[in-house]
Amino acid sequence: MVGIKDVAKRAGVSIGTVSNVVNRPHVVAVATRNRVLSVIEELGYVRDESARQLRAGRSRIMGLLVLDLGNPFFVDVARGAEQAAHAEGLNIITCNSGQRSDLEASYLAMFAEQRVRGVLLSPVATSGEALRAFRRSGTPYVFVDRKAPTSEASSVAVDDIAGGALAARHLLETGHRRIAFVNGPAILAQCRDREQGLRTALEGSGVELTVLEAIGLDVSSGRDAGARLLGTSPRPTAVFCANDLLALGVLQAMVGAGVRIPEEMAIVGYDDIEFAGAAAVPLTSVRQPAQRLGRTAAELLLNETADTTVEHQAVVFTPELVVRESTRVRR
């Protein structure tokens, strides 16, 4: 690997001059600067940024660990976080736990070892040895898309209980009395909260509620849930899904079986990803402000790493219902 000494020797200048060309080019004479830059290009020199950051005592890297990068919702969260980070001259390393606690632990350990500025974390669970070990490393972190269980950290989330209630009330208002809920893994607090909001809003309505737990939060799991719904009797007339990918899978299963949407089966998703409105039957969905979640979480983390006396905050956004063709027919 070519080092700064190699560049200095080839260019016939001091190590300090090479350092100035790389970090403060305006203080170096034009002729000298051009000669050094020519040697840098010739030798393929790349400065050791990690060493420079360790000497400075502050990393220019933030970590982002999400549950599923296959979900466009988390892609939008990452975009929002990048906007805030880039505005401050920082970069983000994005990692995907795949809803696996072992991968989450591995990535958290890597972030601590790399001495990143801080971490935006959408955890599988807010307890467990992996998170406790990460706290002991002293690396600042902010929960994103998850409420912090205590005041130990800041968090940015959406009121998922309110979101579940929005979906329930919409289906009640459109005349449905047999409703199914396709939920994701119960270990995820978001899934539990959405079901709680749904059940609370349905109390005393006389609705017959069917709950199915999907293996994952993806389209394939939604298709499997749709196939199970097709086999129920009497079949629900509406289904609320814990996210849009599940809802799109249910939609595929229903359309494939010749079930008319929404005349025979109304469908509501959650997140309002871009594909929800572009589906064969545009999908009614509970919208989360994904980019705003990521951007706000990154801004909180930047504030806390710049001033350690800043108090932790719990920011909660209110979801909204976006009604489209998948539920428009009044029964």
Side-chain angles (χ1 to χ4, degrees):
M1 182 177 292
V2 176
I4 194 170
K5 293 181 179 178
D6 302 308
V7 175
K9 182 177 180 180
R10 178 69 66 89
V13 298
S14 68
I15 292 174
T17 298
V18 177
S19 177
N20 282 335
V21 169
V22 173
N23 298 299
R24 298 187 302 157
H26 60 280
V27 304
V28 183
V30 174
T32 303
R33 184 169 70 231
N34 288 340
R35 184 166 76 252
V36 172
L37 289 173
S38 178
V39 172
I40 286 175
E41 183 177 358
E42 174 191 347
L43 297 181
Y45 166 74
V46 178
R47 69 179 179 182
D48 189 344
E49 179 66 15
S50 60
R52 188 183 77 84
Q53 291 177 18
L54 285 174
R55 287 194 298 271
R58 175 160 292 210
S59 172
R60 293 176 57 247
I61 301 293
M62 292 169 58
L64 171 62
L65 179 56
V66 300
L67 291 170
D68 182 12
L69 273 178
N71 186 340
F73 167 77
F74 285 112
V75 175
D76 285 341
V77 168
R79 286 179 179 143
E82 285 178 342
Q83 290 171 4
H86 291 170
E88 298 298 323
L90 304 181
N91 293 307
I92 286 188
I93 295 176
T94 302
C95 299
N96 175 37
S97 71
Q99 302 171 37
R100 288 175 48 187
S101 298
D102 57 335
L103 280 180
E104 180 178 276
S106 176
Y107 283 127
L108 288 176
M110 182 270 288
F111 285 141
E113 291 167 359
Q114 295 299 318
R115 303 292 194 270
V116 297
R117 175 78 63 93
V119 175
L120 305 174
L121 174 62
S122 182
V124 176
T126 54
S127 61
E129 180 54 36
L131 195 53
R132 285 193 293 270
F134 183 67
R135 290 192 191 102
R136 290 195 292 269
S137 75
T139 306
Y141 65 96
V142 170
F143 287 122
V144 59
D145 190 39
R146 178 67 64 87
K147 297 175 185 176
T150 66
S151 60
E152 70 191 16
S154 290
S155 62
V156 180
V158 168
D159 188 342
D160 285 317
I161 294 176
L166 274 177
R169 287 195 293 269
H170 175 64
L171 293 176
L172 285 175
E173 289 166 1
T174 48
H176 295 281
R177 292 299 178 264
R178 293 198 306 275
I179 298 174
F181 177 52
V182 177
N183 204 358
I187 190 175
L188 300 178
Q190 296 96 320
C191 294
R192 298 196 302 271
D193 285 351
R194 291 165 197 178
E195 181 176 350
Q196 180 183 336
L198 172 75
R199 288 184 179 278
T200 299
L202 293 180
E203 283 181 1
S205 66
V207 163
E208 180 183 336
L209 179 63
T210 301
V211 177
L212 304 179
E213 182 176 325
I215 296 175
L217 286 165
D218 51 31
V219 174
S220 176
S221 297
R223 283 195 297 266
D224 290 343
R228 283 186 277 165
L229 285 174
L230 287 168
T232 59
S233 181
R235 185 185 300 165
T237 62
V239 57
F240 169 44
C241 299
N243 78 351
D244 284 340
L245 296 182
L246 285 173
L248 290 171
V250 170
L251 177 63
Q252 287 182 7
M254 295 300 157
V255 171
V259 176
R260 292 177 300 155
I261 310 295
E263 292 85 356
E264 296 178 272
M265 177 73 76
I267 303 176
V268 179
Y270 204 105
D271 291 338
D272 195 34
I273 61 176
E274 183 178 357
F275 300 128
V281 180
L283 189 67
T284 292
S285 184
V286 178
R287 175 178 291 167
Q288 297 198 83
Q291 289 198 33
R292 193 176 176 194
L293 281 170
R295 184 170 63 252
T296 303
E299 290 169 349
L300 286 179
L301 185 58
L302 288 167
N303 289 340
E304 292 185 10
T305 56
D307 182 359
T308 56
T309 65
V310 172
E311 293 185 0
H312 295 317
Q313 298 182 53
V315 179
V316 180
F317 291 111
T318 301
E320 60 178 306
L321 184 73
V322 180
V323 179
R324 299 192 181 94
E325 280 69 17
S326 69
T327 62
R328 281 198 192 279
V329 174
R330 183 172 296 276
R331 301 185 65 83

PDB file of all heavy atoms in Angstrom, residues 55-56 159 165 255 285 330:
ATOM      1  N   ARG A  55      -6.992  10.212  15.148  1.00  0.00           N
ATOM      2  CA  ARG A  55      -6.144  11.281  15.677  1.00  0.00           C
ATOM      3  C   ARG A  55      -6.979  12.497  16.046  1.00  0.00           C
ATOM      4  O   ARG A  55      -6.725  13.177  17.039  1.00  0.00           O
ATOM      5  CB  ARG A  55      -5.078  11.673  14.644  1.00  0.00           C
ATOM      6  CG  ARG A  55      -3.970  10.642  14.470  1.00  0.00           C
ATOM      7  CD  ARG A  55      -2.802  11.223  13.713  1.00  0.00           C
ATOM      8  NE  ARG A  55      -3.169  11.642  12.372  1.00  0.00           N
ATOM      9  CZ  ARG A  55      -3.129  10.869  11.303  1.00  0.00           C
ATOM     10  NH1 ARG A  55      -2.748   9.599  11.422  1.00  0.00           N
ATOM     11  NH2 ARG A  55      -3.475  11.322  10.112  1.00  0.00           N
ATOM     12  N   ALA A  56      -7.983  12.786  15.230  1.00  0.00           N
ATOM     13  CA  ALA A  56      -8.840  13.934  15.493  1.00  0.00           C
ATOM     14  C   ALA A  56      -9.815  13.658  16.636  1.00  0.00           C
ATOM     15  O   ALA A  56     -10.377  14.582  17.222  1.00  0.00           O
ATOM     16  CB  ALA A  56      -9.622  14.300  14.237  1.00  0.00           C
ATOM     17  N   ASP A 159     -46.749   6.758  15.801  1.00  0.00           N
ATOM     18  CA  ASP A 159     -47.720   6.179  16.738  1.00  0.00           C
ATOM     19  C   ASP A 159     -48.441   5.035  16.028  1.00  0.00           C
ATOM     20  O   ASP A 159     -49.470   5.232  15.380  1.00  0.00           O
ATOM     21  CB  ASP A 159     -48.710   7.255  17.188  1.00  0.00           C
ATOM     22  CG  ASP A 159     -49.636   6.768  18.308  1.00  0.00           C
ATOM     23  OD1 ASP A 159     -49.743   5.540  18.490  1.00  0.00           O
ATOM     24  OD2 ASP A 159     -50.262   7.620  18.958  1.00  0.00           O
ATOM     25  N   ALA A 165     -55.554   1.826  14.621  1.00  0.00           N
ATOM     26  CA  ALA A 165     -56.925   2.284  14.833  1.00  0.00           C
ATOM     27  C   ALA A 165     -57.471   2.988  13.589  1.00  0.00           C
ATOM     28  O   ALA A 165     -58.661   2.849  13.267  1.00  0.00           O
ATOM     29  CB  ALA A 165     -56.973   3.226  16.037  1.00  0.00           C
ATOM     30  N   VAL A 255     -56.137 -11.648  -6.396  1.00  0.00           N
ATOM     31  CA  VAL A 255     -56.319 -11.434  -7.836  1.00  0.00           C
ATOM     32  C   VAL A 255     -56.087 -12.736  -8.593  1.00  0.00           C
ATOM     33  O   VAL A 255     -56.819 -13.082  -9.526  1.00  0.00           O
ATOM     34  CB  VAL A 255     -55.378 -10.326  -8.338  1.00  0.00           C
ATOM     35  CG1 VAL A 255     -55.397 -10.239  -9.860  1.00  0.00           C
ATOM     36  CG2 VAL A 255     -55.783  -8.976  -7.744  1.00  0.00           C
ATOM     37  N   SER A 285     -53.512   2.718   2.339  1.00  0.00           N
ATOM     38  CA  SER A 285     -52.423   2.438   3.261  1.00  0.00           C
ATOM     39  C   SER A 285     -52.342   3.499   4.346  1.00  0.00           C
ATOM     40  O   SER A 285     -52.735   4.654   4.146  1.00  0.00           O
ATOM     41  CB  SER A 285     -51.087   2.385   2.499  1.00  0.00           C
ATOM     42  OG  SER A 285     -50.027   2.031   3.353  1.00  0.00           O
ATOM     43  N   ARG A 330     -68.234   1.188  -0.984  1.00  0.00           N
ATOM     44  CA  ARG A 330     -68.956   1.110   0.298  1.00  0.00           C
ATOM     45  C   ARG A 330     -69.882  -0.097   0.279  1.00  0.00           C
ATOM     46  O   ARG A 330     -70.707  -0.245  -0.622  1.00  0.00           O
ATOM     47  CB  ARG A 330     -69.780   2.382   0.520  1.00  0.00           C
ATOM     48  CG  ARG A 330     -70.495   2.386   1.861  1.00  0.00           C
ATOM     49  CD  ARG A 330     -71.137   3.732   2.130  1.00  0.00           C
ATOM     50  NE  ARG A 330     -70.134   4.764   2.248  1.00  0.00           N
ATOM     51  CZ  ARG A 330     -69.474   5.030   3.371  1.00  0.00           C
ATOM     52  NH1 ARG A 330     -69.716   4.313   4.456  1.00  0.00           N
ATOM     53  NH2 ARG A 330     -68.592   5.990   3.423  1.00  0.00           N
TER      54      ARG A 330
END
